Amino acid sequence: MTVTRETVLEALRTITDPVSGSDIVSAGIARAVTVDGRTVRFVLEIDPGKSEAYGPVRDRADAAVAALPGVEKVSAMLTAHSEKAPPDLKPKQAAQPQQQSPQKVPGVARILAVASGKGGVGKSTVSANIACALAMQGRRVGLLDADVYGPSQPKMLGVSGRPASPDGKTILPLRNHGVTMMSMGLMTGEDQAVIWRGPMLMGALQQMLLQVQWGDLDVLIVDLPPGTGDVQMTLAQKTRVDGAIVVSTPQDVALIDARKGIDMFRKMNVPVLGMIENMSTHICSNCGHEEHVFGHGGVAQEAKKLGVPLLGEVPLHLDVRLAGDNGTPIVAAKPGSAQAKVFLDIATQLVDAGAA
């Protein structure tokens, strides 16, 4: 039986927090829950003055998770980082416009933007799988979820909990599947909406780029929101972006917006590394019939017309969706599958081109 993050959280909800009286998940004590195959890791963030009271709590939580079918190893740590909260990503005042050349993020060799003109084309799924595929090839990879209004990467990479801060100024990102990740979804509640205007978005993006301790990375992948708005412009104007990938489904209504995304990057002097056709074809798991639900080949034709490479065609498959919902992207969950091989091939192309 395969263990999931949801089953781990359910087990942790059976453990009572001795201070609040609620369970340790609801109390916000259990954080950074990650599942890597048969290994489960989580952190209990506590008041440092009450560490003695939480020793037995950690033992009970460890035992509850270890008893789950499919779990072979549990790593449960007590930390006291909660005494210093991460900096508030909401800027104290509106960002002031200023002219300056794009800057590099300290420690990050290359920045690669993954974009789409339209929402719902699977851009975040593509971003997560490319990040994991690059990590599997030995690259040091970071993933910044810049889709502030609809952050998906915490769910797709199987991480949860508010990031810690050693000094109240910098943020320690979370890590799973070999990928270092930061997302606004880690700073807000799962059901909490982010209702910000442009200047606040721009300030938050700059903070997530510059105040997160990314460490030494070969490549930082930025999962952009759909469209050609403030986040895209801020990233290209303030940060040196080494290349962009545009994701689209094959039908004309998506390609119209994909063209606009490519045009935006060209006007912002960001090299377009290529396009990816997502949901390219569907093969029935019961009868083997192949059907082009959204058409097929539209992105290849568009890429040829625009003079950019076609990096890959990702099929529409149930396993890709299930893997993302379970917090283990398909390249990590089923690396030998046909779906995973497409992402692994894209990662190889990026490495060979010196883009990652």
Side-chain angles (χ1 to χ4, degrees):
M1 179 177 179
T2 302
V3 65
T4 66
R5 189 162 62 96
E6 285 69 25
T7 58
V8 173
L9 289 172
E10 285 301 316
L12 292 175
R13 288 190 181 97
T14 64
I15 309 301
T16 302
D17 172 29
V19 175
S20 66
S22 64
D23 65 85
I24 58 175
V25 175
S26 300
I29 302 297
R31 300 181 179 183
V33 177
T34 61
V35 178
D36 187 2
R38 295 178 176 273
T39 300
V40 176
R41 300 179 181 87
F42 61 90
V43 171
L44 301 182
E45 290 194 358
I46 63 170
D47 184 333
K50 300 175 182 177
S51 57
E52 291 187 5
Y54 280 95
V57 174
R58 178 186 59 186
D59 294 341
R60 289 195 293 271
D62 188 305
V65 174
L68 292 173
V71 175
E72 291 184 354
K73 182 180 179 181
V74 179
S75 174
M77 295 191 302
L78 285 177
T79 73
H81 286 306
S82 56
E83 61 181 332
K84 292 184 178 179
D88 188 356
L89 292 180
K90 181 178 179 180
K92 301 298 186 293
Q93 59 183 9
Q96 299 299 317
Q98 54 182 351
Q99 297 296 323
Q100 63 180 26
S101 58
Q103 298 178 341
K104 291 194 67 175
V105 176
V108 177
R110 304 171 193 83
I111 293 181
L112 176 60
V114 179
S116 67
K118 181 179 290 295
V121 299
K123 167 189 52 61
S124 293
T125 298
V126 170
S127 298
N129 278 283
I130 290 177
C132 290
L134 287 169
M136 292 170 69
Q137 296 190 17
R139 311 306 287 171
R140 296 170 297 178
V141 184
L143 177 58
L144 171 57
D145 187 356
D147 193 349
V148 174
Y149 293 136
S152 304
Q153 296 303 342
K155 178 73 171 178
M156 290 190 173
L157 286 182
V159 297
S160 63
R162 189 176 175 87
S165 176
D167 55 9
K169 298 178 181 178
T170 57
I171 304 170
L172 298 178
L174 299 184
R175 183 176 173 84
N176 203 13
H177 307 301
V179 177
T180 301
M181 192 272 288
M182 179 60 196
S183 169
M184 182 59 71
L186 298 172
M187 309 295 286
T188 60
E190 237 179 54
D191 301 323
Q192 181 180 350
V194 176
I195 309 173
W196 289 355
R197 294 188 185 275
M200 297 169 72
L201 285 177
M202 293 184 285
L205 176 63
Q206 288 181 266
Q207 285 179 282
M208 286 196 291
L209 281 166
L210 300 175
Q211 287 186 245
V212 171
Q213 293 187 12
W214 291 109
D216 291 327
L217 298 178
D218 294 312
V219 60
L220 174 63
I221 294 175
V222 182
D223 179 15
L224 290 169
T228 56
D230 289 325
V231 172
Q232 289 85 344
M233 291 177 61
T234 298
L235 179 69
Q237 289 176 338
K238 302 292 185 183
T239 311
R240 197 184 81 182
V241 181
D242 298 278
I245 293 173
V246 175
V247 180
S248 178
T249 45
Q251 77 269 38
D252 290 343
V253 71
L255 289 168
I256 290 171
D257 293 327
R259 292 185 203 112
K260 296 174 182 177
I262 290 177
D263 183 57
M264 176 199 68
F265 283 121
R266 286 176 167 169
K267 288 179 178 177
M268 304 295 289
N269 297 316
V270 174
V272 178
L273 302 177
M275 299 181 71
I276 295 174
E277 181 171 284
N278 195 31
M279 309 182 200
S280 179
T281 186
H282 174 255
I283 298 177
C284 178
S285 57
N286 289 325
C287 68
H289 171 69
E290 182 175 3
E291 186 173 15
H292 300 137
V293 180
F294 297 105
H296 180 258
V299 175
Q301 295 174 17
E302 195 66 32
K304 184 177 181 180
K305 184 191 306 182
L306 296 173
V308 299
L310 175 68
L311 296 176
E313 296 176 332
V314 182
L316 175 64
H317 198 280
L318 179 62
D319 285 348
V320 177
R321 194 272 296 173
L322 290 175
D325 283 351
N326 289 332
T328 304
I330 190 70
V331 295
K334 295 183 176 181
S337 66
Q339 299 78 38
K341 288 179 179 178
V342 176
F343 291 115
L344 291 166
D345 179 63
I346 292 171
T348 299
Q349 293 179 62
L350 295 174
V351 172
D352 291 345

